[in-house]
Amino acid sequence: MTAPAPFGPLQFQLVLLRRMADHQPDLVEDARRGLGASLAEMRGANRRWQTMVRAPRGRGALRRYRSALGEPESSVRRVVGDLECDALLWRLPLWPDLRFEVMAGPGGAVWNEWLVRAPGAPAPGLRTVRDLRPWSCTVDEVARAFAPVRPMEGSAPTRWALALTDPVDRLPYVAEFTWGLLQRVLPGRV
């Protein structure tokens, strides 16, 4: 039996896609094919990642990301409230205008992990809910464009939701995100 290929950026992108497939199967299918990976490879990458995450003596979360993605493209010190953290950014070929960001606190504890707009990349113009197309924007971009929003708990650890009001029709909506990338917008309550 041959050893599995090293877990690298391709496999990590497949992990992100696996969770997104619940809401956007067609986009995921196109992206998976574009990466040259089979459905079995996507499932296998996700299984390996989950095994690494749950391993009792496994690497810490930050070491796991460095192992899979290499050294970050950039690292920036940030202050969040009274706490300082490091924002580490990795380039992923599947989303050239985005970066995978890991917010790490003292001792390397990972506080947050998601896709964000790459520094210098143009953000989409978001004026109404009609501008919110799957995979077009990030949590932060929607939160700024539709402020004030109300953060909501997502349906899984890598999911977030924002309750917002469309400035034109004044109706409430819920924007759902996976790994920080918009997946869908539903009618909702704010």
Side-chain angles (χ1 to χ4, degrees):
M1 177 173 271
T2 61
F7 196 97
L10 169 64
Q11 290 76 19
F12 184 71
Q13 290 173 104
L14 294 172
V15 169
L16 300 184
L17 289 174
R18 176 65 188 94
R19 179 61 75 185
M20 292 179 190
D22 295 338
H23 296 305
Q24 293 298 329
D26 293 339
L27 289 175
V28 167
E29 182 68 14
D30 290 345
R32 183 183 56 74
R33 280 196 206 123
L35 292 172
S38 70
L39 186 56
E41 288 171 311
M42 184 170 76
R43 288 181 181 144
N46 190 61
R47 212 171 13 259
R48 285 178 65 194
W49 182 257
Q50 294 306 318
T51 298
M52 289 187 281
V53 166
R54 291 182 175 93
R57 291 193 185 129
R59 299 179 179 130
L62 187 54
R63 287 187 61 213
R64 189 171 44 253
Y65 286 115
R66 286 181 185 273
S67 173
L69 300 172
E71 285 303 307
E73 177 181 82
S74 64
S75 178
V76 179
R77 194 83 168 147
R78 287 200 190 142
V79 176
V80 179
D82 293 338
L83 302 172
E84 284 191 32
C85 63
D86 292 312
L88 295 93
L89 299 172
W90 283 271
R91 178 185 306 267
L92 296 176
L94 189 56
W95 294 286
D97 290 342
L98 301 176
R99 296 295 179 266
F100 189 76
E101 177 185 77
V102 172
M103 300 286 283
V110 171
W111 293 345
N112 194 32
E113 54 227 313
W114 60 8
L115 292 163
V116 297
R117 186 71 46 196
L126 304 175
R127 291 171 293 286
T128 73
V129 168
R130 297 178 112 183
D131 296 326
L132 299 178
R133 292 180 315 283
W135 292 19
S136 69
C137 50
T138 64
V139 171
D140 186 54
E141 292 165 340
V142 173
R144 278 191 313 237
F146 293 89
V149 298
R150 184 172 50 85
M152 301 171 67
E153 195 169 323
S155 59
T158 59
R159 292 189 178 152
W160 295 265
L162 296 176
L164 56 96
T165 301
D166 186 288
V168 174
D169 68 18
R170 311 302 288 161
L171 294 174
Y173 294 90
V174 174
E176 295 184 337
F177 304 83
T178 301
W179 292 105
L181 192 59
L182 180 69
Q183 300 299 308
R184 65 184 181 177
V185 178
L186 304 167
R189 291 190 300 238
V190 175

